[in-house]
Amino acid sequence: MEDRYQELAKKWLDKTITPAEQEEFAAWYNAGQDDPVEIPAGFAGSEDVLRQRILNKINQAVKDNDKPRSFRIPAWLRYAAAVLFCAVGFAGYRVCNHFKQVRQLASHTHQQIKNDVLPGGNKATLTLANGKVINLSDVKNGLLTNQGQTRLKKDKDGRIIYENTDAKAVDSASIFNTINIPKGGQFQVVLSDGSKVWLNSASSLTFPTMFPKNERKVTITGEAYFEVTKNKHAPFRVITGKQTVEVLGTHFNINGYTDEAAIRTTLIQGSVKVSTDAQSTILKPEEQSAISNDKTGKILVNTVDIDDVLAWTSGNFQFEKAEIPLIMRQASRWYDVDVKYEGEIPHRRFTGSISRNVNLSELLKMLKYTGINFRIAGKTIIVTS
């Protein structure tokens, strides 16, 4: 069998591998072999340095892979340039340039699942202080409305921007707006102080159209990434359920979905103070606090991979030893579908990455190499082990 997989490896590197052989190679890779299989480095002799590194990493992954059905993609691949990693089977394809900008990828296979579902996109509604609701997906670029001394407009990038027209005015501080992001949506807003907020699916942000001089406070549900403009005279506070996050100016992500086990706050740079009624802690860059959604509310702090946390802001799903229910919750929000399990919930862990711009079928095809089966019935994903 080893000769067979060496043959498939050579075909992959020579770009002569067929779709059926791709699936065979991928199924072997994800099956978790008891005996390591060496893929001769000579197969890549005519390839550039990047392809040689891919080959070396495959060899190492095979040696280290001692867990059945574990899908592994080397961490360094997140920073590689334009790589399609082992085609269909262990696809998790991600493209980066030297500035870590993620480009959208088209589907690499023509196979389609019946009742396929399109990915989400920029969708949101804005509720003004007077109760008027604006569908932000439909409005044209330019001025939308004036509220007190604040001008609201939509820019060419599709963001909603709040601008003060009178720096000395204070009445706008008592005018609140709410942006609601549906399932299958995402949106960006620039607040009146210049702070930027990225909102994920099934999320909301409530905020004043203009902040008072001594405090900046907003409330979110769901998930949001903040780049807060520094102002040492006006702390920026984010309320999420039982948690309050306080900063002066920094970058951080909050995942506060109520169907997750905990509210997770991840610091990208600077520092933040995370508090509950019972305790508080200061986070350092690359640290994440977790406050359980149960009655204890204890704050736990761990070091995490920032790229995994922020993948959604760059248009990607990215998982590191993630359980299937967690992946399905993310899929449910982004594709606006329900999830149903037939039988026991499969106990599998998955590591990989794929663009959020592909149809639902592409994500499910990648996941099926964990040994789990999926089908789409209307707006429901049915999961069977």
Side-chain angles (χ1 to χ4, degrees):
M1 291 298 291
E2 180 174 332
D3 291 341
R4 172 58 175 163
Y5 297 128
Q6 291 177 354
E7 176 187 355
L8 293 176
K10 182 178 186 301
K11 287 186 175 183
W12 170 67
L13 289 168
D14 291 341
K15 299 180 182 180
T16 60
I17 193 167
T18 68
E21 289 171 334
Q22 287 176 345
E23 294 210 13
E24 181 184 356
F25 192 29
W28 157 74
Y29 182 86
N30 289 284
Q33 306 298 314
D34 293 332
D35 298 320
V37 178
E38 294 291 339
I39 303 174
F43 285 166
S46 61
E47 304 294 328
D48 60 21
V49 175
L50 183 57
R51 292 182 68 80
Q52 180 64 57
R53 289 183 66 196
I54 293 174
L55 181 62
N56 292 341
K57 287 298 181 179
I58 292 175
N59 284 332
Q60 187 60 47
V62 171
K63 292 178 183 178
D64 294 342
N65 187 13
D66 58 357
K67 293 185 179 181
R69 305 187 189 279
S70 179
F71 173 60
R72 299 179 180 275
I73 292 180
W76 62 266
L77 188 55
R78 299 167 188 161
Y79 309 107
V83 177
L84 177 61
F85 185 61
C86 291
V88 175
F90 33 109
Y93 39 92
R94 170 147 181 159
V95 178
C96 296
N97 61 21
H98 293 298
F99 300 100
K100 300 181 183 178
Q101 296 173 321
V102 181
R103 298 176 181 172
Q104 297 181 354
L105 287 176
S107 168
H108 64 282
T109 176
H110 295 296
Q111 291 181 312
Q112 295 295 322
I113 290 179
K114 187 177 180 180
N115 300 323
D116 207 352
V117 179
L118 295 175
N122 286 341
K123 303 174 186 176
T125 59
L126 173 66
T127 303
L128 304 179
N130 62 7
K132 180 181 178 180
V133 177
I134 300 175
N135 187 333
L136 298 178
S137 310
D138 295 339
V139 296
K140 297 180 180 179
N141 297 345
L143 180 65
L144 300 184
T145 187
N146 288 290
Q147 298 179 93
Q149 281 71 44
T150 303
R151 179 170 50 222
L152 174 58
K153 68 179 184 180
K154 184 176 182 180
D155 73 0
K156 61 181 179 61
D157 296 321
R159 302 178 303 174
I160 297 301
I161 299 177
Y162 285 75
E163 295 180 341
N164 290 345
T165 58
D166 185 352
K168 296 181 179 180
V170 295
D171 66 320
S172 293
S174 60
I175 300 175
F176 284 83
N177 287 182
T178 298
I179 291 182
N180 288 293
I181 316 299
K183 292 178 69 174
Q186 62 183 12
F187 219 80
Q188 296 182 37
V189 59
V190 180
L191 302 177
S192 62
D193 67 334
S195 295
K196 300 174 184 177
V197 186
W198 285 252
L199 291 160
N200 205 349
S201 303
S203 302
S204 70
L205 174 72
T206 299
F207 55 96
T209 58
M210 187 175 72
F211 293 111
K213 293 182 178 181
N214 60 345
E215 182 184 50
R216 298 170 290 170
K217 185 165 66 175
V218 303
T219 301
I220 71 162
T221 64
E223 184 169 22
Y225 168 63
F226 291 83
E227 292 186 355
V228 176
T229 300
K230 190 170 183 179
N231 184 345
K232 63 181 181 181
H233 302 295
F236 193 103
R237 295 185 175 91
V238 183
I239 311 299
T240 313
K242 66 181 71 175
Q243 169 187 281
T244 299
V245 171
E246 180 178 328
V247 306
L248 296 178
T250 188
H251 299 181
F252 59 97
N253 190 86
I254 298 178
N255 184 324
Y257 290 111
T258 56
D259 60 351
E260 299 292 346
I263 301 172
R264 303 184 187 278
T265 301
T266 308
L267 180 61
I268 312 306
Q269 65 180 47
S271 67
V272 301
K273 180 181 180 181
V274 179
S275 304
T276 65
D277 291 339
Q279 65 179 127
S280 65
T281 188
I282 303 294
L283 296 183
K284 299 176 182 178
E286 299 187 20
E287 287 187 339
Q288 180 183 86
S289 65
I291 300 177
S292 174
N293 279 324
D294 61 21
K295 294 182 179 180
T296 61
K298 184 178 180 181
I299 301 177
L300 301 176
V301 177
N302 293 294
T303 301
V304 296
D305 189 320
I306 288 175
D307 290 327
D308 291 343
V309 175
L310 295 185
W312 70 271
T313 67
S314 299
N316 288 272
F317 291 109
Q318 188 158 305
F319 307 108
E320 179 67 29
K321 298 181 180 178
E323 295 182 343
I324 295 300
L326 182 149
I327 297 173
M328 288 296 97
R329 289 195 295 273
Q330 291 194 25
S332 172
R333 296 179 198 126
W334 182 238
Y335 292 98
D336 189 12
V337 294
D338 297 320
V339 178
K340 178 182 178 181
Y341 295 91
E342 289 187 347
E344 294 185 2
I345 297 177
H347 296 289
R348 301 283 191 275
R349 290 186 179 273
F350 177 91
T351 295
S353 177
I354 189 170
S355 169
R356 296 213 312 176
N357 294 293
V358 301
N359 288 357
L360 175 59
S361 63
E362 294 302 312
L363 175 63
L364 300 184
K365 285 174 190 174
M366 187 174 69
L367 293 174
K368 77 175 184 179
Y369 289 99
T370 63
I372 297 171
N373 296 314
F374 305 87
R375 69 178 187 273
I376 303 173
K379 295 285 286 184
T380 301
I381 305 173
I382 300 174
V383 185
T384 59
S385 57

